[in-house]
Amino acid sequence: MQRIAAAPARSGPAPLLLPGSRKDHLLVAGMVEPGSRVLDVGCGDGTLLALLRDHRGVDGRGIELSREGVSQSLARGLAVIQGDADTDLADYPDDVFDYVILSQTIQATRQPRLVLEHMLRIGRRAIVSFPNFGHWRVRWELAGRGRMPITDNLPQSWYDTPNIHFCTMRDFVGLCRELGATIEQAHALDAGGHPVRFSLPWWVWNLFGQQGVFLLRRKSG
C-alpha cells in the first residue's frame, strides 16, 4: 500500500513561526526559498504574498480576479493585477518564476488541469493547497445526512460557493501522476491548520486531512 511521508523530500527553509498568521500560509511560506521569484495566483487580499515579501524577501507578483482583492493587495504595496487563472496564465513565458502558488483556489477554477500545467510551465516549482473533499466529515454529511457539507474549510452553502471542482487529496495525487509532476513535499492539515506528522497511507490522509498542501516539480526533459 502506498504511503506518504510527512518529511520533505528535499531540505528547505525552516518553517516560519509568526503568531497570528494562518498556519497553512506559514507552511507554504516555509517551502519558498528566500529571494525567489514568486507568482501568487488568486492572491486574494495579498496576505500570503505580503508574508512572503516581508519574511522571505521574495520578488513577488500576484493575480487576483476580484477588484476588491486587487485593491487590498495594492494597499499593501504589492504588485498585483486583475486577472483570471483560467485564461491569463497562458500569456506568461516559460520559467519566468521560481515558484507559482495557488492557495485554496484550484477548486474554484474552470480548468484545474490546464491551470496546473501552466503553473508547472511558467514556474520551476508549484505550490498548491486546497480543501480536501475526502475528509471524514464531508463524507458523513453526504452519506449520513444527504446534504452538501459545510465545514471550516468549505464554509459556503452549495448555492453560494465559488467552488466548482471539488477534489480529494487522492484525486490531486492522481492528477500529478497524469502530468508527470514530482511531489517534493505533501502535507495533510488538521482542523487547526497543523500538519499531520506521521507517515501514513494515502487513504488515511485522505480521510483525516482537512486540507492538502503540495510542493511540485515538473518532469524534466
Side-chain angles (χ1 to χ4, degrees), residues 62-82:
I63 303 176
E64 170 56 31
L65 185 61
S66 71
R67 291 183 180 179
E68 180 181 8
V70 173
S71 297
Q72 292 172 329
S73 295
L74 293 175
R76 295 176 184 267
L78 299 168
V80 173
I81 61 173
Q82 187 170 16

Side-chain angles (χ1 to χ4, degrees), residues 51-64:
L51 178 69
L52 290 167
R53 177 196 62 190
D54 297 341
H55 298 279
R56 279 291 184 250
V58 306
D59 177 8
R61 302 288 185 272
I63 303 176
E64 170 56 31

Side-chain angles (χ1 to χ4, degrees), residues 129-201:
S129 68
F130 54 90
N132 176 32
F133 208 67
H135 186 259
W136 70 265
R137 184 175 171 188
V138 172
R139 301 186 194 203
W140 163 247
E141 290 288 331
L142 288 170
R145 300 182 62 195
R147 302 191 64 175
M148 286 297 289
I150 297 178
T151 68
D152 292 340
N153 291 301
L154 298 167
Q156 296 99 340
S157 297
W158 65 270
Y159 50 82
D160 282 332
T161 181
N163 301 322
I164 57 176
H165 285 112
F166 291 111
C167 75
T168 69
M169 293 185 68
R170 201 165 190 172
D171 289 328
F172 187 78
V173 170
L175 176 57
C176 292
R177 288 175 180 159
E178 288 182 25
L179 297 180
T182 298
I183 299 175
E184 293 196 338
Q185 290 190 41
H187 301 271
L189 307 187
D190 62 21
H194 301 94
V196 178
R197 298 291 186 182
F198 302 100
S199 178
L200 295 169

Side-chain angles (χ1 to χ4, degrees), residues 36-39 59 61 89 91-100 118-125 218:
S36 300
R37 297 166 298 163
V38 174
L39 177 65
D59 177 8
R61 302 288 185 272
L89 292 183
D91 297 330
Y92 286 87
D94 296 354
D95 294 318
V96 68
F97 296 103
D98 297 308
Y99 297 86
V100 181
H118 280 306
M119 291 175 64
L120 291 167
R121 176 184 61 80
I122 67 179
R124 296 180 180 177
R125 288 181 171 83
R218 71 170 176 266

